[in-house]
Amino acid sequence: MSTPIPPNWDTGADSLDRIDSYQVVGRNETRVDALKLAQGRGSFTDDIDLPGMLHLKMLWSPHAHARIRSIDTSAAEAMPGVVMVLHHGNVSRIPYTTAGQGHPEPSPYDQFIFPRKVRFVGDRVACVAAESAVQAARALAKIRVEYEVLEPVLDPHDALRPGAPVIHDEPEAFGLPDYDKAHNIAAAMHVEHGDVDAAFAEADLVLEREYSVPYQHHATAEPHIAITWLDEDQRLVVRVATQVPFHSRRILARILDFPLHRIRVVKPRVGGGFGGKQEILLEDLPALVTLRSGRPARLCLTRAEELASSRTRHPQILSWKTGVMRDGTLVAQELRVLANTGAYGAHALTVQTCTAGKTLPLYKARAYRFDMKTVYTNLPVAGAFRGYGGPQGFVAMECHMDEVAEKLGLDPLEFRRRNLIGPGHDNALAQALGEGKEGPPQRIRSCAIQECIDRGKAAIGWDRRDRLRSTGPIRRGIGMSCLMHGSGIPGVDMGSAHVKLNEDGSFNLHVGATDIGTGSDTILSQIAAETLAVPLEKVVIYSSDTDHTPFDTGAYASSTTFVSGAAVKKACEGVARQLREAAAEMWRVEGDPCTPEDLHLERGAVRRPDGRSLSYGEICLSTFYTHDQHQIMDHGSHMTFECPPPFAAHFAEVEVDTETGAIRVLRYVAAVDCGVPIHPQSCEGQTEGGVCTSLGYALSEDFIFNDAGRLLNDTYEDYKIPTALDVPEFETILVRSYEPAGPYGAKSVSEIPTDGPGPTIANAVAHALGIRFRSLPLTPEKVRKAWLKKEEARQRETEA
Amino acid sequence: MSRIEFRINGHHLREHDASPATTVLDYLRDNLGLMGTKEGCAEGDCGACTVLLLDRRRSKTPRWLPVNSCLLPLAAIHGRDLVTIEGLGTGGAAHPAQQAAVATHASQCGYCTPGVVLTLAAAAHCSASEFATGQAEMLAGNLCRCTGYGPIRAALAEVAASDPDDSLKRLRALPELTVAQEPLEYCAGGVHCVIPVTWEQLWEAIEQHPNHSLVAGATDWILTSAAPFWEHVGGGSGQSSSPCMLSLERLPEFCQVRDRGETGWWIGAGVRVADLQETVGADVPAVARLLRYFGSAQIRNRGTIGGNLCTASPVGDLAPLLLALDAKVVLRSRRGDRMLLLNDFFRGYRRTALRPGEVLAAIELPRPRGDTRISPFKVCKRREVDIATLSCVVAVDVGADNVMRRARVAFGGMAPTPLRVAACERELEGKVFSASAFRRAAEATERELEPISDVRGSAWYRRRVAKNLVQAFHAEWETGEEPAWRADHPGTVALAPGAQREEK
């Protein structure tokens, strides 16, 4: 596949001075939804009650791996209030992926509405629709299922064992060329750049270490939920907590075999997504019930169902190998990943390619090798999760960089500086690691990683590092990591916007982009207001409704500001041009002609160089009712082959209680280069929130299974995400840069913060204890055990 | 007359049809259409469903306390005042807590926001001294996955103790509903509810409703025992006698703490954990230190001491503390009272010495002597709102000769019940307060206890840490001075600076 080489733009450093002239962009405007949320008026999916609504409850598989021999639903159907019971015997069997990606999805088509063989504890078996949730729940107990229990695969290594049970033995499942279901391989990839073996042979030091990272759950405040009904035209309305309304419509039309034009997907307020709501996880079932019964239907997961049966971050085992010269110059890097996608292969390829794509190119080397296998197991299903492979990869790479620096006797920070990618450099692996196909080449333009390090280093007090307490039961340490992410999926993600003018000089902005709490409604409004030279309140945004807004791929891949924002800017530039033309026409009719090119927009009016002006309201009234009658409106779509990475340097100071192994993070500094921050407070919020999520990943979050593959900690009582009092003193430093490919110089900011805490905390703990942990989470028990082992070794040494 | 009455956002409502076991969360959303209150976990762990319940019991000015509406049975708000997010602003104007949330950018997705804002609004009415002594901990009960909490903490700092002239002030001045002082008998949805106001009424209700459930704060009950009540909705369960919630909250003295001077305290079993913090905790720092890590503010505002002991959880934060302080329990029945050492109250995994028809009425807690050294320890995966992997309370009386007279070492999470470890205590009593005595005691502890492995920790870890905690106690008190516990300490183990012990 041929892709255009991006022009060799300059780094954009000169363009920073433009920022100060912005009126709306770069300012902490009050978020468009802030007040209604604080007043509890934000209308989430579940905040409606429809007359005659049916309530759905799920029967989940109690077995990790079993064939369903028979299902008898007659007793359940006879229960009071039960309207129907859905299962594999009475729904269509069309293979698909729940991954919620663009068409064609790079994830294997290995799912059906209901499987005939269940593949994890929590897989779909049947669904009861009843007049009330209590009645539906009671009927579940009456469904008789006969299972042929099969040997489960509960470890990714076992999945590859010769003769291992084949998890996807159904003939219909298919995927990309490397898909190999007969060997439980959901995705695989091998990439080499440069002469890897020669580079390793030349290196003064070759170090290889293995790291492992656990399951993590999104733990969104709002669980997955969908409510469906038929409108007065018998069209199916799907009100769903989703990040991808347009993908949802496309996939529903296909698996329900129902015309796409008769489906409307509406995204109301969403209580957090983080990738978990990129999945088309449950809306198919209420939709089916509505289509068959004609009645509204609701399915909402409980917290335990959410934890056990929705989606998770892919656990991985990563082997990192580095070849380095004595002076600290990297020459070769090799990453091998064994990832566990659980029972289904949603995002099995692309999360893992991002594990390499976001990490490896950060440090320049002559040669790179990446080898990856994502395997099926009979465990909960992995999928998209904020960071998308980055948090896994950076744990390995950034711990490894510290280990290499230590071997070489170099300051870990200076060692990194020597090898970091910079402005004007090419991303060596961009083409090899595309989204299921060859990717477009990438050249770095804006890059302030060195300044991120400088400022983060000063803020944490890196120079105190050698003087921290290293005796007694409480030990302190400081660690850091360098990070890089992306902005959208180049050549794939597309966003669009529509803008029209109203008589009071306000504008309706319709976008397909999906605000799931990210603040994109505010940010896109700011971009519109800036382009149209009006205050923020003159932009009325409406988003994410497949009937009423233009297309957008959705809220994922750190794309909304960068991709959808550029679409908004294009649409508004078109409207700005029309405003100038209309004003010129009005002045011409008045006998005072001018050329549109001489006019400019300022404070809600089109102005002439001599200061005379026509307000947008006057122009709108004229074009609606008086002269040259038309609606001033335009639309814009944006797709780009660019994917400018944001950069960051994270620093943490920790205290470790060696008696119990408890780690306390005292201070965290995140210095981030996200280009021009459209809304600085939002960028800080994204950073702090992303860090907080990954503090949980580093310290307390994990899935614990029994021998039969059943999740044991499926409640918030035992699955611990951080509380307000667990988070440390926090400082976000927004390091300014200007990205020429982004709207008003912006790059992404949402995912990169999740990449940092894993390695940063692990490095700080290593500094505090002199113990290198290569697996997360760093639970008190794990730390305590390692400390004891170290003390015992020391004691043996002393005795000897 | 059979109805439940309450005020929600100042509106006096009378309910005839809803089951008394319905959660207030469901009632607000399904019956009243108040959609601002959100369900996040339905188990009291996330705080998205936080509402404010007016407490007229303890202080002169009634106080609004944040509670989890998912753990609150409808019957519990009979005669009470409640405020939801919809009742916070005045005439469409935003409440200062809401304004602060907007200004600090405290919402991203906004799903946890109503609960957060109500917690902030309650904090606005704390006194400055209350806030300074730990009301910031109120936020531990409101989980947020988006913001990282910084803006929420900033909003809290902005509104705390600001004493705004708001709807909360206006609504708390309304006179108490008269039904609050009257007994209630209510039946709806096939479920009975009786709220007696005299012990005699309680004994009658117990006899009348053999299928009864004794309820106080209900925070645990609604999760573990309310299921049969749900099953009964619509007559589906086929049980012979319909279930009855028997609420103990209005019994005389049941919710009071009596300070009896030198003797100690008489603590009604219905006393909430938050009340214990403010009373006994004010006198005994070790009690305050442990209770600060007991659940969340929302839980402490509802959970009672009696409920906590009667669930007989093997872990329970309170039990080890009360065991170490030689607390006694008063068990009351129609025939009278009997008293047991708490040590004799726990009879096995989730079993107690309570006989049929008997109620845990009170706890007698002796006042620690001037020479008693007490330290509580709680070890958990997460600092806040977590069930302990293990907890430990050590209390020793140390004479002027530095010899330990009485030693109590109690653990939770190490056996089927919370328990004292006699072998450990024996190694201490009569010995000089010294590192070697505690080392031997620690070794005895490790030999004696046989904990299990579960999701919270392995048996290996529990034993190792249990041993360390006994020694940690010595390190804390080595100088004989009360340890200066850091306010922000992890809540696991506090160690005196520089203290070092040998590892075996």
Side-chain angles (χ1 to χ4, degrees):
Chain A
M1 171 190 162
S2 77
T3 45
I5 304 290
N8 191 8
W9 295 16
D10 55 37
T11 62
D14 294 342
S15 310
L16 265 177
D17 52 7
R18 291 189 214 165
I19 298 171
D20 297 327
S21 66
Y22 296 157
Q23 298 295 309
V24 189
V25 159
R27 297 182 193 275
N28 288 326
E29 299 280 351
T30 298
R31 279 175 51 147
V32 296
D33 44 16
L35 185 63
K36 76 174 178 192
L37 292 173
Q39 293 182 324
R41 290 187 284 112
S43 189
F44 294 84
T45 300
D46 204 21
D47 295 346
I48 57 166
D49 189 14
L50 300 171
M53 186 159 75
L54 296 173
H55 296 263
L56 276 55
K57 283 282 174 190
M58 298 295 299
L59 182 67
W60 306 107
S61 167
H63 302 294
H65 199 189
R67 212 172 290 283
I68 298 173
R69 279 216 187 108
S70 66
I71 294 189
D72 178 358
T73 58
S74 50
E77 282 160 18
M79 292 286 285
V82 172
V83 171
M84 71 178 80
V85 182
L86 299 174
H87 55 87
H88 76 78
N90 60 15
V91 301
S92 64
R93 186 170 165 88
I94 297 169
Y96 75 110
T97 173
T98 57
Q101 298 165 299
H103 171 82
E105 298 97 331
S107 295
Y109 276 28
D110 56 7
Q111 284 187 267
F112 307 93
I113 294 176
F114 285 102
R116 288 180 195 148
K117 188 172 99 165
V118 289
R119 295 178 174 86
F120 72 109
V121 180
D123 206 349
R124 288 177 170 192
V125 174
C127 171
V128 175
E131 302 289 342
S132 77
V134 172
Q135 288 171 328
R138 266 188 213 141
L140 290 180
K142 303 287 180 185
I143 301 174
R144 296 279 161 261
V145 188
E146 203 188 332
Y147 296 99
E148 175 195 348
V149 177
L150 305 169
E151 184 194 344
V153 178
L154 302 176
D155 179 284
H157 291 292
D158 290 346
L160 294 171
R161 199 169 26 85
V166 177
I167 294 170
H168 284 275
D169 52 359
E170 70 279 16
E172 301 99 318
F174 67 97
L176 291 167
D178 286 327
Y179 185 63
D180 181 4
K181 63 187 178 185
H183 297 94
N184 292 324
I185 294 174
M189 186 174 236
H190 185 90
V191 166
E192 303 222 3
H193 177 90
D195 190 338
V196 185
D197 292 328
F200 274 119
E202 259 175 58
D204 291 331
L205 170 73
V206 175
L207 190 70
E208 183 168 12
R209 291 285 182 266
E210 192 176 279
Y211 306 84
S212 72
V213 284
Y215 270 104
Q216 185 185 22
H217 196 268
H218 307 80
T220 52
E222 173 202 45
H224 283 83
I225 175 165
I227 294 178
T228 56
W229 65 91
L230 295 178
D231 70 9
E232 61 272 29
D233 297 316
Q234 297 296 296
R235 292 173 74 237
L236 176 69
V237 184
V238 181
R239 178 178 165 99
V240 56
T242 183
Q243 299 173 221
V244 288
F246 288 91
H247 296 340
S248 176
R249 181 180 65 168
R250 185 189 85 236
I251 291 165
L252 283 179
R254 191 173 147 262
I255 63 175
L256 301 177
D257 194 18
F258 190 71
L260 185 139
H261 70 273
R262 293 188 57 204
I263 302 176
R264 173 183 176 193
V265 176
V266 181
K267 176 220 69 107
R269 193 71 208 174
V270 172
F274 314 120
K277 290 173 183 165
Q278 189 181 343
E279 298 283 324
I280 312 306
L281 192 75
L282 49 59
E283 51 265 51
D284 53 320
L285 295 174
L288 265 174
V289 169
T290 291
L291 289 176
R292 290 188 184 184
S293 68
R295 295 174 61 177
R298 167 186 180 271
L299 175 56
C300 178
L301 298 189
T302 66
R303 185 54 57 184
E305 291 174 324
E306 184 72 19
L307 280 158
S309 71
S310 67
R311 297 292 179 262
T312 60
R313 195 184 292 294
H314 289 82
Q316 292 180 353
I317 299 154
L318 309 95
S319 174
W320 206 287
K321 183 174 163 187
T322 306
V324 62
M325 304 312 288
R326 203 163 282 117
D327 68 356
T329 307
L330 283 174
V331 289
Q333 293 213 69
E334 178 182 303
L335 167 62
R336 283 179 291 126
V337 172
L338 175 59
N340 170 12
T341 190
Y344 298 100
H347 303 265
L349 172 71
T350 42
V351 162
Q352 274 57 242
T353 53
C354 283
T355 294
K358 304 303 178 210
T359 56
L360 283 167
L362 180 60
Y363 299 110
K364 290 168 291 175
R366 283 217 304 279
Y368 299 90
R369 179 182 288 141
F370 171 55
D371 189 85
M372 177 279 284
K373 281 190 181 66
T374 306
V375 296
Y376 288 121
T377 61
N378 294 112
L379 290 171
V381 185
F385 190 162
R386 188 177 185 182
Y388 206 76
Q392 296 98 314
F394 280 103
V395 166
M397 181 167 83
E398 287 301 282
C399 287
H400 194 74
M401 290 303 144
D402 261 28
E403 294 193 66
V404 173
E406 197 184 328
K407 285 268 178 207
L408 295 171
L410 296 175
D411 177 81
L413 209 155
E414 297 310 319
F415 165 64
R416 285 179 172 85
R417 278 187 189 281
R418 190 173 308 195
N419 296 292
L420 280 169
I421 198 168
H425 297 162
D426 288 324
N427 176 336
L429 297 170
Q431 284 157 286
L433 297 173
E435 176 92 351
K437 56 187 181 187
E438 189 184 338
Q442 301 293 328
R443 179 161 295 166
I444 307 296
R445 296 167 183 176
S446 62
C447 174
I449 179 79
Q450 301 282 356
E451 194 185 341
C452 289
I453 294 174
D454 288 340
R455 295 184 56 189
K457 180 183 169 183
I460 198 77
W462 181 263
D463 298 336
R464 292 180 297 129
R465 207 165 176 260
D466 298 335
R467 303 193 300 274
L468 291 175
R469 178 143 45 113
S470 57
T471 58
I474 306 271
R475 304 287 172 103
R476 281 198 181 194
I478 293 178
M480 67 88 61
S481 63
C482 289
L483 313 168
M484 173 173 95
H485 216 87
S487 301
I489 308 171
V492 174
D493 283 345
M494 192 276 273
S496 56
H498 179 268
V499 188
K500 68 184 176 69
L501 173 67
N502 299 317
E503 292 102 314
D504 64 348
S506 68
F507 298 90
N508 290 110
L509 170 62
H510 288 196
V511 293
T514 309
D515 192 333
I516 52 168
T518 49
S520 68
D521 280 352
T522 302
I523 282 163
L524 299 179
S525 298
Q526 279 180 286
I527 289 172
E530 183 69 45
T531 314
L532 294 164
V534 290
L536 188 64
E537 62 267 21
K538 289 282 193 184
V539 177
V540 181
I541 189 163
Y542 182 73
S543 54
S544 335
D545 176 334
T546 58
D547 267 14
H548 296 293
T549 67
F551 176 81
D552 194 287
T553 36
Y556 58 89
S558 288
S559 65
T560 306
T561 299
F562 180 72
V563 177
S564 310
V568 168
K569 190 159 180 270
K570 280 184 190 171
C572 292
E573 282 166 352
V575 168
R577 182 177 41 75
Q578 293 176 32
L579 280 165
R580 286 195 301 269
E581 286 166 0
E585 174 64 12
M586 285 168 73
W587 273 310
R588 187 191 63 75
V589 172
E590 285 174 20
D592 188 8
C594 58
T595 54
E597 288 71 32
D598 292 336
L599 305 177
H600 71 283
L601 308 187
E602 193 185 327
R603 285 176 289 122
V606 179
R607 293 170 195 275
R608 296 176 75 144
D610 62 10
R612 282 180 296 160
S613 66
L614 280 169
S615 75
Y616 298 166
E618 292 172 282
I619 296 170
C620 185
L621 281 170
S622 171
T623 54
F624 273 10
Y625 304 110
T626 314
H627 180 71
D628 184 26
Q629 282 166 269
H630 69 290
Q631 165 77 63
I632 290 181
M633 61 178 173
D634 208 348
H635 56 84
S637 297
H638 187 70
M639 190 291 301
T640 174
F641 292 103
E642 302 273 336
C643 181
F647 294 92
H650 284 197
F651 294 82
E653 181 169 354
V654 303
E655 190 174 85
V656 188
D657 183 337
T658 58
E659 298 285 345
T660 60
I663 295 169
R664 178 110 169 95
V665 183
L666 302 174
R667 200 168 145 65
Y668 203 97
V669 175
V672 56
D673 156 25
C674 60
V676 173
I678 304 288
H679 190 289
Q681 211 178 25
S682 279
C683 293
E684 288 162 11
Q686 285 289 318
T687 302
E688 196 170 336
V691 165
C692 187
T693 299
S694 285
L695 279 177
Y697 189 51
L699 295 172
S700 61
E701 295 178 39
D702 195 1
F703 272 8
I704 302 168
F705 300 100
N706 71 6
D707 294 344
R710 184 189 177 84
L711 179 65
L712 295 176
N713 54 334
D714 65 351
T715 63
Y716 276 166
E717 194 176 304
D718 290 314
Y719 185 85
K720 303 314 263 190
I721 70 171
T723 73
L725 304 183
D726 291 305
V727 293
E729 191 188 324
F730 198 92
E731 186 178 353
T732 301
I733 301 168
L734 299 179
V735 174
R736 301 221 298 190
S737 74
Y738 188 96
E739 171 51 48
Y744 293 107
K747 299 188 278 192
S748 84
V749 72
S750 59
E751 291 188 274
I752 189 168
T754 60
D755 293 338
T760 306
I761 305 283
N763 286 341
V765 170
H767 178 232
L769 301 182
I771 299 172
R772 170 55 60 184
F773 290 93
R774 297 194 184 86
S775 73
L776 298 185
L778 301 175
T779 58
E781 175 156 356
K782 191 183 285 178
V783 173
R784 171 76 191 141
K785 202 169 252 175
W787 177 256
L788 212 57
K789 204 171 136 195
K790 183 182 164 170
E791 290 290 290
E792 281 164 0
R794 199 185 62 181
Q795 207 153 22
R796 274 197 304 275
E797 255 172 50
T798 326
E799 281 162 12
Chain B
M1 177 209 72
S2 178
R3 66 181 183 218
I4 298 179
E5 289 185 40
F6 37 79
R7 263 193 221 112
I8 291 180
N9 301 331
H11 300 288
H12 186 164
L13 303 177
R14 295 170 183 83
E15 177 59 47
H16 301 268
D17 300 324
S19 161
T22 303
T23 65
V24 168
L25 170 62
D26 287 344
Y27 184 76
L28 290 171
R29 292 183 60 87
D30 299 343
N31 295 50
L32 301 183
L34 294 174
M35 297 294 190
T37 308
K38 306 297 180 199
E39 177 177 321
C41 68
E43 56 186 25
D45 278 311
C46 81
C49 68
T50 299
V51 295
L52 302 181
L53 189 60
L54 191 65
D55 174 38
R56 300 174 187 271
R57 200 192 284 170
R58 276 205 27 80
S59 56
K60 242 186 262 161
T61 314
R63 287 184 303 184
W64 291 103
L65 301 179
V67 299
N68 294 309
S69 62
C70 72
L71 298 183
L72 198 60
L74 186 63
I77 65 166
H78 178 59
R80 310 285 302 264
D81 292 71
L82 192 84
V83 162
T84 68
I85 190 71
E86 289 88 354
L88 203 52
T90 315
H95 185 274
Q98 291 166 325
Q99 292 168 14
V102 170
T104 61
H105 195 59
S107 304
Q108 284 185 28
C109 81
Y111 198 81
C112 73
T113 304
V116 167
V117 164
L118 285 167
T119 297
L120 298 180
H125 289 284
C126 288
S127 70
S129 66
E130 281 169 340
F131 186 68
T133 56
Q135 293 299 322
E137 293 146 13
M138 289 172 96
L139 279 179
N142 291 91
L143 292 181
C144 167
R145 192 61 152 171
C146 295
T147 63
Y149 301 105
I152 295 174
R153 293 197 293 187
L156 177 69
E158 203 175 310
V159 299
S162 59
D163 192 31
D165 197 15
D166 59 1
S167 58
L168 296 182
K169 211 175 231 182
R170 204 178 67 249
L171 294 173
R172 80 182 178 203
L174 293 174
E176 186 173 24
L177 292 175
T178 52
V179 295
Q181 308 299 334
E182 296 162 8
L184 173 79
E185 285 199 39
Y186 176 79
C187 182
V191 178
H192 288 274
C193 175
V194 178
I195 307 181
V197 299
T198 68
W199 289 94
E200 194 47 41
Q201 288 166 0
L202 173 67
W203 309 135
E204 276 171 25
I206 284 177
E207 280 176 16
Q208 224 170 30
H209 298 281
N211 185 17
H212 68 262
S213 204
L214 297 175
V215 179
T219 52
D220 191 66
W221 177 83
I222 208 154
L223 296 176
T224 57
S225 311
F229 289 72
W230 287 106
E231 279 301 301
H232 205 80
V233 173
S237 74
Q239 279 174 332
S240 52
S241 83
S242 55
C244 177
M245 288 174 69
L246 252 172
S247 171
L248 307 173
E249 281 195 283
R250 309 268 161 89
L251 289 170
E253 297 202 306
F254 192 72
C255 301
Q256 285 177 17
V257 180
R258 283 211 307 265
D259 189 335
R260 302 196 296 194
E262 281 313 298
T263 347
W265 297 268
W266 187 95
I267 303 164
V271 165
R272 296 164 307 203
V273 178
D275 298 331
L276 196 64
Q277 274 180 297
E278 290 177 7
T279 51
V280 181
D283 282 4
V284 187
V287 171
R289 178 184 170 201
L290 182 73
L291 297 185
R292 178 241 169 284
Y293 292 103
F294 186 111
S296 61
Q298 285 92 326
I299 300 286
R300 295 193 293 268
N301 284 334
R302 281 297 298 166
T304 64
I305 294 157
N308 186 257
L309 295 179
C310 288
T311 60
S313 155
V315 185
D317 291 349
L318 260 182
L321 178 76
L322 297 176
L323 283 171
L325 298 180
D326 281 344
K328 292 180 183 137
V329 289
V330 179
L331 309 183
R332 182 168 295 169
S333 69
R334 196 158 219 170
R335 291 181 302 281
D337 288 359
R338 63 183 179 118
M339 203 174 278
L340 283 181
L341 259 181
L342 182 58
N343 207 25
D344 298 323
F345 180 67
F346 300 116
R347 289 292 166 83
Y349 180 73
R350 298 216 176 254
R351 281 195 301 118
T352 69
L354 278 171
R355 296 170 185 156
E358 211 169 36
V359 175
L360 173 60
I363 293 95
E364 285 201 355
L365 184 65
R367 184 177 292 273
R369 295 155 47 105
D371 62 2
T372 306
R373 300 175 182 179
I374 315 167
S375 281
F377 304 104
K378 176 174 176 177
V379 179
C380 32
K381 276 199 204 168
R382 186 176 69 187
R383 199 168 73 113
E384 309 289 335
V385 202
D386 198 1
I387 293 176
T389 304
L390 72 156
S391 52
C392 167
V393 179
V394 183
V396 294
D397 299 344
V398 186
D401 53 0
N402 209 27
V403 170
M404 293 178 272
R405 304 276 179 277
R406 191 192 59 115
R408 297 286 181 267
V409 182
F411 282 96
M414 297 297 289
T417 70
L419 80 173
R420 279 171 49 189
V421 185
C424 175
E425 294 173 356
R426 271 199 304 276
E427 292 290 345
L428 298 174
E429 288 184 342
K431 309 279 167 47
V432 171
F433 187 91
S434 64
S436 57
F438 277 91
R439 189 170 60 246
R440 280 192 298 275
E443 284 161 6
T445 305
E446 196 183 19
R447 278 196 303 275
E448 191 76 7
L449 294 173
E450 285 180 5
I452 57 161
S453 293
D454 64 14
V455 293
R456 300 192 185 101
S458 69
W460 174 88
Y461 178 71
R462 285 189 159 105
R463 285 173 74 169
R464 271 292 180 174
V465 175
K467 178 188 169 195
N468 276 359
L469 295 180
V470 174
Q471 290 183 275
F473 174 83
H474 174 260
E476 278 200 349
W477 287 89
E478 203 168 17
T479 64
E481 299 291 315
E482 178 107 42
W485 291 309
R486 275 172 36 194
D488 67 338
H489 197 276
T492 50
V493 180
L495 292 167
Q500 286 201 56
R501 281 173 301 293
E502 285 172 26
E503 283 294 346
K504 278 273 165 84

